[in-house]
Amino acid sequence: MRIVFIGPPGAGKGTQAVLLAERLGVTHLSTGEVLRAARTSGDPLGRQAAEYLDDGRLVPDELVVKLVADRLAAEDCEKGYLFDGFPRTLPQAQELDRLLGERGERIELALEFVISFEELTARLGKRGRSDDGEDTVRRRLEVYASHTRPLAEYYNQRGVLRRIQAVGGVDDVTRRVWRAVQHARSGDS
Ligand code: AMP
């Protein structure tokens, strides 16, 4: 199955992505994780991405799309994949569709994690990642609202969007995620 997760930072996407990818036996692809690892190892991609990561701004589309295109070419993506944190802009979504079209594939489920601003700021304050400082968090939430949230409508028009409430315990959210997957698989939209 081919899935994208859409949701603001702090919505629990990463946790759910790991669980769902394992359950479905598909590859989990977090562009944020790849970029952070590239920065730590000091490779050219990491050096180009570092300033954006630290400021909570989006890394330029070309860099991220290249990263994803390379990653999709790997053998472990043949069994399906779950994108976590990608696409984050309309051009990224369009480019992803183009890449998938070349492979004769398409996104079957776009899952939007819905959560209030108040809940998010409370959660992010507790997380302690290096880009979780107050100003950076605010910028990342703004970037989400202006650039990424509109992608839900993009996928809605393609008939693959499902929304879940991302509040409550991890197990509650996991159950909602699974229900959405089952609906998508049965074609019941
Ligand atoms: P995440 O781990 O998904 O919260 O991503 C952390 C940071 O990595 C973001 O704040 C961006 O700076 C960068 N990043 C991750 N994915 C993307 C993407 N698809 N497009 C642009 N920047 C990204």
Side-chain angles (χ1 to χ4, degrees):
M1 198 170 184
R2 284 125 202 156
I3 302 173
V4 300
F5 275 10
I6 301 172
K13 285 191 313 296
T15 305
Q16 295 298 333
V18 170
L19 293 170
L20 181 60
E22 191 174 297
R23 193 163 181 180
L24 291 173
V26 301
T27 296
H28 172 220
L29 290 174
S30 158
T31 44
E33 249 169 46
V34 174
L35 291 166
R36 278 190 293 279
R39 181 180 51 183
T40 306
S41 67
D43 79 15
L45 170 68
R47 281 201 299 277
Q48 285 171 286
E51 57 172 311
Y52 301 97
L53 290 168
D54 293 338
D55 285 357
R57 283 180 296 145
L58 293 179
V59 172
D61 290 337
E62 309 81 68
L63 279 184
V64 182
V65 166
K66 168 86 172 56
L67 176 171
V68 168
D70 289 350
R71 194 60 192 78
L72 271 176
E75 203 179 318
D76 65 349
C77 286
E78 282 167 18
K79 61 193 179 190
Y81 34 82
L82 194 174
F83 284 114
D84 163 14
F86 177 87
R88 260 175 153 101
T89 64
L90 192 56
Q92 289 180 17
Q94 289 165 334
E95 199 52 30
L96 176 62
D97 279 350
R98 200 187 58 74
L99 282 170
L100 296 190
E102 285 173 358
R103 297 163 60 95
E105 298 172 356
R106 65 181 193 93
I107 295 299
E108 291 141 277
L109 169 65
L111 195 62
E112 183 186 0
F113 286 62
V114 178
I115 180 167
S116 75
F117 184 82
E118 290 73 20
E119 179 85 14
L120 278 179
T121 24
R123 282 196 198 179
L124 284 164
K126 290 186 203 135
R127 197 162 70 168
R129 213 168 71 186
S130 68
D131 55 355
D132 281 348
E134 207 177 306
D135 287 350
T136 312
V137 163
R138 195 171 329 111
R139 179 146 333 109
R140 289 167 63 218
L141 291 174
E142 283 164 11
V143 167
Y144 177 75
S146 58
H147 288 84
T148 309
R149 174 84 230 290
L151 289 183
E153 190 44 40
Y154 177 87
Y155 287 109
N156 193 26
Q157 283 172 11
R158 282 157 182 72
V160 295
L161 180 73
R162 291 204 154 263
R163 293 195 166 93
I164 57 152
Q165 295 297 323
V167 289
V170 172
D171 291 350
D172 298 322
V173 180
T174 302
R175 268 192 292 278
R176 290 178 207 131
V177 168
W178 189 242
R179 215 175 301 138
V181 168
Q182 285 175 314
H183 280 293
R185 278 172 150 180
S186 66
D188 164 22
S189 56

